[in-house]
Amino acid sequence: MTYLANCRRTMHGINQRVLKASTSVVVIAALSAGTLSGCSEQEEVQTQARLQPVTTLALTKSDSFDQHQTYTGVIRSANTTGIGFELGGKLDTLLVDSGDSVTQGQILAKLDTSLLLAEQKQLKATLKQTQSDLDLAINNLDRVVKLSKQNYASEQQLDESEQRVQSLKASKQSLEANLDSTSLRIEKSTLVAPFSGIISKRQQNLGEVVNAGTPVFTLIGQHNQLAYIGVPVDVAQTLRTNQQVDVTVGKHDMVGLIAGISGEVDTVTRTVQLRIALDPKETIINGEIAYLDYQQTMATQGYWVPISALTDGVRGLWNVFVVKQGEQGQTVTERRDVEIIYTDDTKAFIKGAIDANELLVVEGLHKLVAGQQVSPTPAEAL
């Protein structure tokens, strides 16, 4: 009996241990299943978090674009003249200098006229002597004529007296012409302002001997300021005389009027020069840079995109990235070749292997490669 009781106790202990072991296995299996399920969900979340976020913009097709161009020129007064003496001589007097304002007819400088004044005195004296000789010859002629009527004078005497009078009259006329010439040379030895303006530069010094026509001053008129700007031939053909255009000088924006369009192409710049009249009320300095702002509508189909959406390509082309749905439904990038037609400060007008309504990646292209899975976010329209 004792032996049988011991056997029963032994079997009961074994059954209890087996039951505990089975329970532990079930618990461990359940915990393992829960852990694996949680890891799978976490891995999926981490995969989503690892996708590159990109900002996209739907492409909108345009049939034309406005091309803004700026052309450069210079401001010049309608009256900008290097003024000098018509005669050569020594510069005796300078009455103005650089920066002085002058009025039309104002005396600016004088040449030394001492030799001309001496010549004038000599001519006047000679003319006076010739006039006296002429008066005497006329009186003699009158007497000879009277004597000839009374047959007391020969015809030869009469002819000689008449010839003497004619000769002295001719000499008088010659002296008067020489005297007028000398007086005119004295007058032209004084340089006067041909128009009102500002002396921008003095080019000669006191006491120098200047040749005829050598500029002594550069005089700039203060009215009729003009902008001379060169434009391409095709642009010049779209403009017309008296057309209003936008001109910028310094920090001043103003409206100008096309006063003339050159009839030839400049051999150096290959442009056609425009002469643009500006408002005389504007304060403009001769020689300032002028800019012509010109807008032209170009009939070309394409798409406006931000400059940040472009990256370097090959063979002169550029690349953009668009977002497409992959074979398994994921969102991936594709690289496309495009050509830039026109650009401004912030955007470009392009055409190429793109279509309307495709989603264009507009930022962060340096982080992308073709076929990369991304997480797109819409951007604001241009």
Side-chain angles (χ1 to χ4, degrees):
M1 291 295 292
T2 301
Y3 174 76
L4 291 174
N6 289 335
C7 288
R8 289 191 185 98
R9 285 196 296 270
T10 301
M11 292 301 296
H12 179 72
I14 292 172
N15 290 335
Q16 289 296 325
R17 287 194 294 271
V18 171
L19 180 61
K20 290 180 179 179
S22 299
T23 303
S24 299
V25 171
V26 172
V27 171
I28 292 172
L31 291 174
S32 298
T35 301
L36 291 174
S37 176
C39 290
S40 177
E41 292 177 357
Q42 183 177 3
E43 182 179 357
E44 183 178 353
V45 172
Q46 291 176 350
T47 301
Q48 292 293 333
R50 285 197 300 269
L51 294 181
Q52 177 66 42
V54 293
T55 304
T56 59
L57 179 69
L59 290 170
T60 302
K61 193 171 188 178
S62 299
D63 294 328
S64 63
F65 67 94
D66 291 333
Q67 178 176 336
H68 295 264
Q69 296 290 345
T70 301
Y71 303 103
T72 306
V74 66
I75 298 295
R76 290 204 305 268
S77 172
N79 293 321
T80 302
T81 308
I83 54 176
F85 295 97
E86 296 181 35
L87 306 173
K90 185 175 71 172
L91 199 55
D92 183 67
T93 305
L94 290 172
L95 300 176
V96 295
D97 208 334
S98 301
D100 291 342
S101 297
V102 299
T103 58
Q104 185 177 5
Q106 180 178 337
I107 297 176
L108 307 180
K110 293 181 179 180
L111 293 176
D112 182 7
T113 58
S114 56
L115 292 178
L116 292 175
L117 291 174
E119 181 181 337
Q120 186 183 49
K121 289 181 179 180
Q122 181 181 3
L123 288 172
K124 287 181 177 180
T126 304
L127 180 61
K128 187 175 181 179
Q129 178 64 45
T130 301
Q131 183 65 50
S132 298
D133 293 341
L134 178 58
D135 293 341
L136 179 59
I138 291 175
N139 292 333
N140 289 335
L141 178 60
D142 291 340
R143 286 191 292 268
V144 171
V145 169
K146 292 179 181 179
L147 292 175
S148 177
K149 291 179 180 179
Q150 298 175 2
N151 294 324
Y152 290 118
S154 64
E155 292 184 1
Q156 181 178 355
Q157 290 177 323
L158 180 61
D159 293 340
E160 289 176 352
S161 297
E162 291 177 348
Q163 185 64 34
R164 174 65 177 171
V165 170
Q166 296 298 326
S167 177
L168 289 173
K169 285 183 177 180
S171 296
K172 179 185 176 181
Q173 291 177 351
S174 177
L175 289 170
E176 288 176 343
N178 289 336
L179 185 59
D180 290 341
S181 176
T182 301
S183 298
L184 185 60
R185 289 160 64 193
I186 293 174
E187 180 182 344
K188 289 185 176 298
S189 295
T190 299
L191 184 62
V192 298
F195 51 85
S196 299
I198 294 179
I199 302 296
S200 68
K201 186 177 182 181
R202 176 172 62 86
Q203 296 163 297
Q204 304 296 333
N205 297 317
L206 194 65
E208 289 184 345
V209 176
V210 295
N211 296 323
T214 301
V216 179
F217 303 103
T218 299
L219 178 61
I220 299 175
Q222 292 302 291
H223 302 287
N224 299 327
Q225 296 283 8
L226 299 173
Y228 292 87
I229 300 176
V231 299
V233 176
D234 58 339
V235 173
Q237 291 173 346
T238 65
L239 301 174
R240 65 183 185 280
T241 305
N242 296 325
Q243 178 180 340
Q244 290 186 341
V245 291
D246 295 326
V247 178
T248 301
V249 181
K251 297 181 180 180
H252 302 285
D253 297 329
M254 60 194 74
V255 176
L257 198 67
I258 297 179
I261 301 175
S262 176
E264 64 178 358
V265 177
D266 188 279
T267 57
V268 177
T269 63
R270 308 306 302 171
T271 60
V272 177
Q273 190 178 75
L274 304 180
R275 180 166 51 89
I276 303 173
L278 304 176
D279 188 347
K281 296 179 182 179
E282 297 285 349
T283 302
I284 304 173
I285 299 177
N286 205 62
E288 281 193 273
I289 301 298
Y291 301 93
L292 171 64
D293 299 320
Y294 179 77
Q295 177 176 316
Q296 184 179 11
T297 300
M298 309 297 292
T300 302
Q301 293 185 342
Y303 304 86
W304 282 110
V305 300
I307 290 180
S308 60
L310 298 168
T311 184
D312 292 338
V314 295
R315 294 188 296 275
L317 295 176
W318 292 79
N319 290 151
V320 296
F321 282 97
V322 296
V323 174
K324 303 289 287 186
Q325 292 295 324
E327 296 179 356
Q328 299 178 0
Q330 73 275 27
T331 304
V332 297
T333 59
E334 288 186 4
R335 183 187 293 265
R336 304 286 181 83
D337 290 333
V338 295
E339 177 185 356
I340 296 179
I341 307 300
Y342 173 74
T343 63
D344 59 17
D345 294 337
T346 60
K347 57 185 184 299
F349 192 78
I350 65 173
K351 66 178 182 179
I354 50 179
D355 294 315
N357 299 320
E358 284 192 302
L359 295 180
L360 177 74
V361 179
V362 296
E363 292 179 354
L365 273 64
H366 62 285
K367 301 178 182 179
L368 301 179
V369 294
Q372 180 177 349
Q373 190 173 351
V374 295
S375 175
T377 301
E380 295 182 1
L382 290 177

